[in-house]
Amino acid sequence: MTGGAFLGYLAALLVGLVIGLAGGGGSILTVPIFVYGFGISPLLATTYSLFVVGVTSMVGSVNHLWQGRVDLRTTLAFALPSFLSVYLSRRFLVPALPDPIVRFGDTYLAKEDAILFFFAFVMVMAARAMIRNQKPEQGEARDGRPRYGTLALDGLAVGLLTGTIGAGGGFLIVPMLVLLAGLPIHRAVATSVLIIAVNSFVGLLGDLQHTRLNWDFLLPFTGLSIIGIFLGMYLARFVAPDQLKKGFGWFVLAVAGYIILKEVM
């Protein structure tokens, strides 16, 4: 096992640990771990990420469902359009993207490089949300009438994002559920974890039509991530999740900067 692979497996624990502690955020690291820790191509890394994110989030959501924290009506309103867009993007959009994406004479942007740049941009946005660490306040739905139409449109957009980069998008989903569905923050986080889990599995179904998975690699990595979730849930009793999320946001920002420098140089 190379040093990069060893660190990659340790990072699998970190992915689950952060999701268990903070309710999300760890999945944003899976694609960089696969690409730079294991030398996996960016396109295949997004597929592997969907599996890891799906299984890990589903384990986390079981506890939320058991405790009755998940709002199932809101889940359906947001998730059904999201499921459609994530499946279609993985099944048709991503394979249909031209390679290179753009070309100007002898200068071009390869498809895999474009996905990494877009992923780095999303990481920067996720880091910003975590560093600011501001919980959204109930807004448009405070009158008790959730805006299900707007939720459905936002679900389409988040599904497209999940399908393109292979990350859950919890940093986008939670504010939408609070502002548009009027959910308290703890119910929004719980509902988001379930949406991310099913979204990821639906996207993976689109990939299985044309992609073979290395289960000998993927299952141990996912198992370590699940161990990390249980460890995170235990440590959540002693660690302030808000402070953890802020510190992790700076770490995600640093990783995004590394990706950009690595691809430019």
Side-chain angles (χ1 to χ4, degrees), residues 44 47 50 86-93 95 200-213 215:
L44 184 57
T47 301
L50 287 172
V86 73
Y87 176 81
L88 292 178
S89 63
R90 294 306 297 187
R91 181 69 177 88
F92 300 107
L93 176 61
S200 299
F201 284 128
V202 171
L204 186 64
L205 287 177
D207 274 2
L208 291 179
Q209 308 295 321
H210 52 74
T211 305
R212 283 178 172 266
L213 304 183
W215 296 109

Side-chain angles (χ1 to χ4, degrees), residues 12-13 51-52 55-56 217-230:
L13 283 170
F51 179 82
V52 174
V55 173
T56 307
F217 161 73
L218 201 52
L219 292 179
F221 186 97
T222 306
L224 288 172
S225 182
I226 292 173
I227 292 173
I229 263 204
F230 285 113

Side-chain angles (χ1 to χ4, degrees), residues 70-109:
V70 177
D71 189 301
L72 294 178
R73 180 178 297 181
T74 300
T75 298
L76 290 175
F78 186 95
L80 290 180
S82 187
F83 298 163
L84 176 64
S85 62
V86 73
Y87 176 81
L88 292 178
S89 63
R90 294 306 297 187
R91 181 69 177 88
F92 300 107
L93 176 61
V94 174
L97 290 174
D99 192 11
I101 297 292
V102 293
R103 180 189 291 274
F104 298 100
D106 294 333
T107 303
Y108 64 90
L109 179 62

Side-chain angles (χ1 to χ4, degrees), residues 143-225:
D143 57 1
R145 292 176 293 178
R147 299 171 60 110
Y148 289 125
T150 307
L151 271 176
L153 292 176
D154 288 338
L156 283 171
V158 170
L160 181 63
L161 176 69
T162 300
T164 303
I165 67 173
F171 70 100
L172 292 174
I173 297 175
V174 171
M176 291 176 185
L177 296 181
V178 173
L179 295 173
L180 300 179
L183 297 183
I185 185 67
H186 69 281
R187 287 179 64 82
V189 169
T191 303
S192 171
V193 171
L194 179 60
I195 292 172
I196 289 169
V198 184
N199 252 5
S200 299
F201 284 128
V202 171
L204 186 64
L205 287 177
D207 274 2
L208 291 179
Q209 308 295 321
H210 52 74
T211 305
R212 283 178 172 266
L213 304 183
N214 182 353
W215 296 109
D216 291 337
F217 161 73
L218 201 52
L219 292 179
F221 186 97
T222 306
L224 288 172
S225 182

